[in-house]
Amino acid sequence: MGQSLGCFQVGQSTVAVKEQFGKFDEVLEPGCHCAPWCFGYKVAGKLSLRVQQLDVRCETKTKDNVFVNVVASVQYRALADKAADAFYKLSNTRGQIQSYVFDVIRASVPKLNLDAAFEQKNSIAKAVEEELEKAMSAYGFEIVQTLIVDIEPDVHVKKAMNEINAAARLRVAANEKAEAEKIQQIKRAEGDAESKYLSGLGIARQRQAIVDGLRDSVLAFSENVPGTSARDVMDMVLVTQYFDTMKEIGASSKSSSVFIPHGPGAVKGISSQIREGLLQAQATEK
């Protein structure tokens, strides 16, 4: 009965366009309505007011001649107060939006290098949104938001970019490693130099102490034993030290065979060398 009288209902977030004898009559809001067919009324169609999304994939090239696929996501909806324009003025809304997106992307991306295109995704999206808003508002549609969700270079280009990035990181790592090794070598050399310097000071002080001790011993012996000269005492001390050294060498379990000259002449030569060293040390002090 309701259908014969032309009664129908319009769902929520939807409007219906009513015509009379093929001419636009009015936009019907959500609810129950009557359009008696006997008076020439009919529902030409319905229009959703919900936000819809259109993903557009556009191929273009950058300023440095790299072909990329730019994926744009456009969110739009029909305006309730302009439902008649949205219903009658466009036969293919999605195709119209896609054409505008193609136009703006292919005009914007070729002005940018590949790296700049990645960095300025928001600028590209804003340009697309402004152009769509200006164009689609005349047809009763509102552009809610436009996003550039992806920029996909050619597979070979992407691989080359990854290799360049990896090479740059390896170069930085190599520089850091070389710098660390350089610092280690410098510190090691500084430590070795300092060690040798301190060792030299220790040896010099040791020799000075030996010279001072021998000198004091010779002077004390000369004073206590009349008739002996400093040279006699020195020769005796040197011979004593010579035999003590030979004793220590023979007593050591880890020593191997050692051949040294032995005899009065050898002892005399050793004493002469030590005496000369003592005299040079005394001269250095003066």
Side-chain angles (χ1 to χ4, degrees):
M1 184 68 179
Q3 293 180 353
S4 62
L5 294 177
C7 294
F8 62 94
Q9 65 179 10
V10 179
Q12 186 66 32
S13 299
T14 306
V15 294
V17 177
K18 185 174 74 172
E19 296 178 347
Q20 185 179 23
F21 297 113
K23 182 180 179 180
F24 170 73
D25 184 62
E26 64 175 331
V27 176
L28 303 178
E29 300 290 336
C32 186
H33 302 274
C34 287
W37 59 269
C38 57
F39 294 104
Y41 290 107
K42 74 170 183 177
V43 177
K46 295 182 180 180
L47 185 66
S48 175
L49 301 180
R50 295 180 180 179
V51 176
Q52 303 180 60
Q53 178 169 310
L54 173 63
D55 293 329
V56 181
R57 189 181 189 88
C58 176
E59 184 180 16
T60 183
K61 75 171 184 175
T62 60
K63 188 176 180 180
D64 47 355
N65 295 322
V66 177
F67 280 89
V68 294
N69 287 313
V70 181
V71 181
S73 180
V74 181
Q75 298 175 355
Y76 66 99
R77 66 180 176 185
L79 299 173
D81 55 344
K82 295 183 179 181
D85 292 338
F87 185 80
Y88 286 106
K89 286 189 175 182
L90 287 179
S91 61
N92 186 356
T93 304
R94 299 174 71 87
Q96 186 76 5
I97 293 175
Q98 183 174 354
S99 298
Y100 279 110
V101 172
F102 280 176
D103 182 65
V104 176
I105 289 178
R106 287 174 176 168
S108 302
V109 175
K111 298 178 182 178
L112 305 172
N113 291 328
L114 181 59
D115 293 337
F118 279 100
E119 295 172 358
Q120 300 184 28
K121 286 200 309 180
N122 292 337
S123 300
I124 299 172
K126 186 173 181 61
V128 174
E129 183 174 345
E130 290 177 352
E131 185 66 23
L132 284 175
E133 184 69 31
K134 181 172 61 176
M136 299 303 293
S137 60
Y139 300 112
F141 285 92
E142 176 190 13
I143 304 301
V144 178
Q145 193 172 16
T146 302
L147 302 173
I148 301 297
V149 296
D150 197 8
I151 298 178
E152 300 177 354
D154 182 75
V155 176
H156 299 290
V157 175
K158 188 183 297 185
K159 182 178 179 181
M161 292 174 63
N162 291 333
E163 290 178 353
I164 292 173
N165 189 19
R169 293 180 182 275
L170 289 175
R171 183 168 61 251
V172 172
N175 289 336
E176 293 294 334
K177 183 178 180 181
E179 189 67 22
E181 292 178 354
K182 175 183 175 183
I183 294 174
Q184 289 180 354
Q185 291 178 359
I186 291 174
K187 292 300 181 181
R188 193 180 298 113
E190 290 177 352
D192 187 51
E194 185 68 18
S195 175
K196 290 180 179 179
Y197 173 73
L198 295 176
S199 177
L201 288 178
I203 293 174
R205 291 176 181 177
Q206 180 187 21
R207 290 176 178 175
Q208 184 64 42
I210 292 173
V211 170
D212 293 340
L214 290 175
R215 180 180 59 200
D216 294 340
S217 298
V218 170
L219 292 176
F221 194 90
S222 299
E223 292 175 356
N224 295 327
V225 181
T228 59
S229 63
R231 182 170 183 177
D232 296 334
V233 177
M234 191 67 188
D235 289 340
M236 184 184 67
V237 171
L238 293 177
V239 170
T240 302
Q241 290 184 347
Y242 175 76
F243 283 109
D244 289 342
T245 302
M246 292 183 62
K247 180 180 179 182
E248 290 180 1
I249 293 174
S252 177
S253 60
K254 296 182 180 180
S255 62
S256 57
S257 300
V258 179
F259 296 94
I260 56 175
H262 182 66
V267 175
K268 182 177 180 181
I270 294 174
S271 63
S272 300
Q273 294 176 9
I274 297 176
R275 190 182 301 109
E276 290 177 359
L278 178 62
L279 293 176
Q280 289 179 0
Q282 291 177 348
T284 303
E285 283 185 353
K286 295 177 180 181

